Amino acid sequence: MQAMSERLSDLDSHVQGAIRVVTFYDTLMRRRVDLSALARSSAGLAVCVVGIRLHGTGRVTRIGPDGSEAPAQGHPPSSTAPITLDDEEIGTVWLERPGRPGPLDEVLLDRLAIAATAVVERYGPARTTMADPALVELVVSSGSDEAARARALRLLEFSADRPIHVVAVRSSLPLDQVGSLICTARVVKAAPLADVGVILATTVDRARFPKGVRAGIGAAESPDRSWQQARTALRFTTPGRPVVRYDELGALALLAHVPPGLARDNNDVSAISRLAHSREDLDTLDAYCATGSLRRAAERLHLHHSSVARRLDQIGKALGFDLTEPSGPLRAGLALTAWRLLADDGHGDRRGEPRTYS
């Protein structure tokens, strides 16, 4: 009789705990919280790391019990539950509890999954990577006042206390795919503007840009100046250097401000333009200017150094100066860069280089 009484007491305690969990999530849903707030509140309730992942975007939110982002190296999930919408699994929630799952973990995850579904239903379109181009243009336009810019950032779900990285992109891949790759765990938005794609991201992992993508990354704190810098950096990208940060350009960025007519009339730039019919010559010259060494250029081109030497001798004759002289690589590199900037600005033709975006 005593054993039965103890079991009923334990059951009653479990039911009361379950009711408190249900009430807790009902309150959160009435407050219309977003996924970040949902994960933060859940981690505080569970007193362990809580994770939420949406399959569509691949974005993962992991929050520790102190309310901050959890370290990358954590415990494996101790229990998981699917997030379902219209009978389709759209994501997963989990707890990273050291040791065995707690007695109320199953109830907590069930309610967390239901709450996450409600958030996705409510904010789903705004939570996607692709954004309203008009809002994105308000953020990056130099003509926007600060109040309009701040409001646009709020509507795009960016926090006022976090820096915004602006990326200019040309890609044959969809912009949302690129955005999800370079910023996997935080807010990222993308939209096409004129002839270039723009990505706004809380963080940018330059190592995760996929093949076939050209990207310029702005460095300024203000989004409008950062957008201008990102577009300038994009113009300096090459097949061998597809991602360029503006602050890495240094004095080279000044070339972007040379009037096109002045650059086009320069003898060295004109000579590069005449070489443009030969992809082989351009690749050889680019490799030599980038490495400053005949042997390293040969390694990059997978050719014997004597073959590269013969090519450089012919290219030097076409350019009208000796590439092996101390100033040769610098002079040729500046001319090649100026020619590329002209080509990118609609005054030439970058043969074989991507100019599409999605």
Side-chain angles (χ1 to χ4, degrees):
M1 196 67 182
Q2 183 178 353
M4 181 179 292
S5 176
E6 289 175 354
R7 286 171 60 190
L8 287 173
S9 176
D10 290 341
L11 180 61
D12 184 57
S13 174
H14 180 81
V15 170
Q16 288 181 2
I19 291 173
R20 285 197 295 272
V21 170
V22 172
T23 303
F24 176 85
Y25 281 101
D26 284 348
T27 301
L28 287 180
M29 292 167 70
R30 283 197 299 271
R31 292 177 179 172
R32 303 171 75 87
V33 298
D34 59 14
L35 284 181
S36 296
L38 180 62
R40 191 174 299 110
S41 300
S42 300
L45 177 65
V47 198
C48 70
V49 173
V50 167
I52 301 176
R53 183 184 191 277
L54 297 181
H55 299 331
T57 62
R59 186 177 302 151
V60 176
T61 303
R62 290 176 63 250
I63 303 295
D66 61 352
S68 62
E69 292 185 16
Q73 296 297 326
H75 295 281
S78 54
S79 47
T80 64
I83 304 171
T84 57
L85 179 62
D86 297 330
D87 297 324
E88 177 186 356
E89 183 176 327
I90 61 170
T92 309
V93 294
W94 67 90
L95 302 179
E96 298 178 20
R97 189 183 299 286
R100 300 178 60 183
L104 293 173
D105 283 3
E106 185 178 350
V107 178
L108 189 151
L109 278 177
D110 180 62
R111 299 306 298 182
L112 172 56
I114 292 171
T117 300
V119 171
V120 171
E121 279 189 303
R122 184 179 301 125
Y123 298 118
R127 289 284 166 179
T128 60
T129 298
M130 293 306 293
D132 182 350
L135 284 178
V136 173
E137 188 168 10
L138 268 177
V139 171
V140 301
S141 173
S142 59
S144 299
D145 60 65
E146 290 308 309
R149 198 188 321 278
R151 181 175 181 275
L153 284 170
R154 284 197 303 273
L155 290 173
L156 290 169
E157 301 174 30
F158 286 99
S159 174
D161 59 351
R162 290 186 180 274
I164 304 298
H165 299 271
V166 183
V167 185
V169 175
R170 284 204 180 103
S171 170
S172 57
L173 299 175
L175 277 178
D176 57 345
Q177 182 178 336
V178 178
S180 297
L181 284 171
I182 66 172
C183 183
T184 58
R186 295 182 180 175
V187 179
V188 56
K189 300 294 179 182
L193 289 185
D195 62 332
V196 180
V198 56
I199 295 176
L200 305 177
T202 314
T203 61
V204 174
D205 185 347
R206 67 184 298 171
R208 291 180 61 85
F209 279 97
K211 263 188 173 182
V213 171
R214 295 289 186 86
I217 306 172
E221 291 185 5
S222 59
D224 54 333
R225 286 190 58 231
S226 188
W227 172 236
Q228 293 171 4
Q229 293 177 352
R231 293 201 67 166
T232 297
L234 178 64
R235 296 177 63 196
F236 283 85
T237 59
T238 68
R241 194 185 182 193
V243 180
V244 174
R245 284 184 56 92
Y246 180 83
D247 54 3
E248 295 172 347
L249 291 173
L252 282 176
L254 296 174
L255 287 176
H257 303 287
V258 174
L262 188 62
R264 200 180 308 113
D265 291 341
N266 180 271
N267 289 336
D268 290 354
V269 177
S270 298
I272 293 290
S273 185
R274 291 192 293 273
L275 282 178
H277 69 279
S278 171
R279 182 81 255 177
E280 183 180 89
D281 286 346
L282 284 179
D283 287 345
T284 301
L285 184 60
D286 184 43
Y288 181 63
C289 292
T291 61
S293 161
L294 191 152
R295 289 187 178 275
R296 287 203 297 271
E299 290 173 4
R300 177 178 286 197
L301 295 168
H302 306 292
L303 295 171
H304 193 273
H305 64 88
S306 61
S307 299
V308 175
R310 283 194 297 272
R311 285 191 191 178
L312 290 175
D313 182 60
Q314 293 300 316
I315 293 170
K317 291 176 181 177
L319 294 178
F321 58 88
D322 190 348
L323 288 169
T324 61
E325 290 292 321
S327 63
L330 175 61
R331 183 174 168 180
L334 288 173
L336 184 59
T337 300
W339 172 80
R340 282 185 170 133
L341 292 174
L342 281 173
D344 187 75
D345 210 26
H347 300 283
D349 178 21
R350 283 192 179 191
R351 289 172 173 79
E353 299 186 16
R355 287 189 50 85
T356 59
Y357 67 89
S358 299

